[in-house]
Amino acid sequence: MSNNDWKSRLGMVYSTNPDYEYHTDGDRQQATLPPAEQDLRVWLDRKQRAGKQVTLVRGFVGSDDDLRALGSMLKNKCGVGGTAKDGEIIIQGDFRDRIVDLLTTAGYRAKKAGG
């Protein structure tokens, strides 16, 4: 067993078979949908952020690399910081209108939601 990461085996029931090999399915990446099939929602949030506003982009379906690339493009166009993780993009400040415009220009289906 070349991958000896014990965290990926939490909750596993061990076999008494000496020839058993444990395989994880964690290596699969979700295929990224084309921009026209993405349905993104842009939110304004200030919960648990010391009163500071952030713009959230949710609903992205795809790999983490593509999510980070989209987040990087939005951060550069808005000229602010942010992050892309856990399937959502966080942009510092209230840029809902600008981000919706940028996403629709890039071919994504995006609309403002909540906030």
Side-chain angles (χ1 to χ4, degrees), residues 17-108:
N17 183 355
D19 298 327
Y20 180 78
E21 291 186 26
Y22 181 71
H23 300 286
T24 60
D25 293 335
D27 295 338
R28 291 187 205 164
Q29 285 283 337
Q30 186 171 12
T32 302
L33 291 176
E37 295 180 16
Q38 297 277 358
D39 191 21
L40 303 177
R41 300 284 186 240
V42 182
W43 300 76
L44 181 66
D45 187 26
R46 65 174 71 104
K47 294 177 185 157
Q48 300 177 349
R49 302 185 198 282
K52 301 199 176 173
Q53 296 178 342
V54 296
T55 304
L56 297 174
V57 179
R58 294 182 177 158
F60 184 83
V61 178
S63 68
D64 291 337
D65 291 335
D66 293 334
L67 178 70
R68 281 193 294 269
L70 180 61
S72 178
M73 185 270 294
L74 292 174
K75 290 187 296 183
N76 287 336
K77 297 280 186 176
C78 293
V80 294
T83 185
K85 62 182 177 182
D86 299 330
E88 67 182 15
I89 300 169
I90 302 171
I91 304 292
Q92 296 173 353
D94 183 3
F95 289 98
R96 286 179 295 178
D97 296 328
R98 183 181 241 182
I99 288 177
V100 168
D101 291 340
L102 289 170
L103 289 172
T104 54
T105 303
Y108 291 91

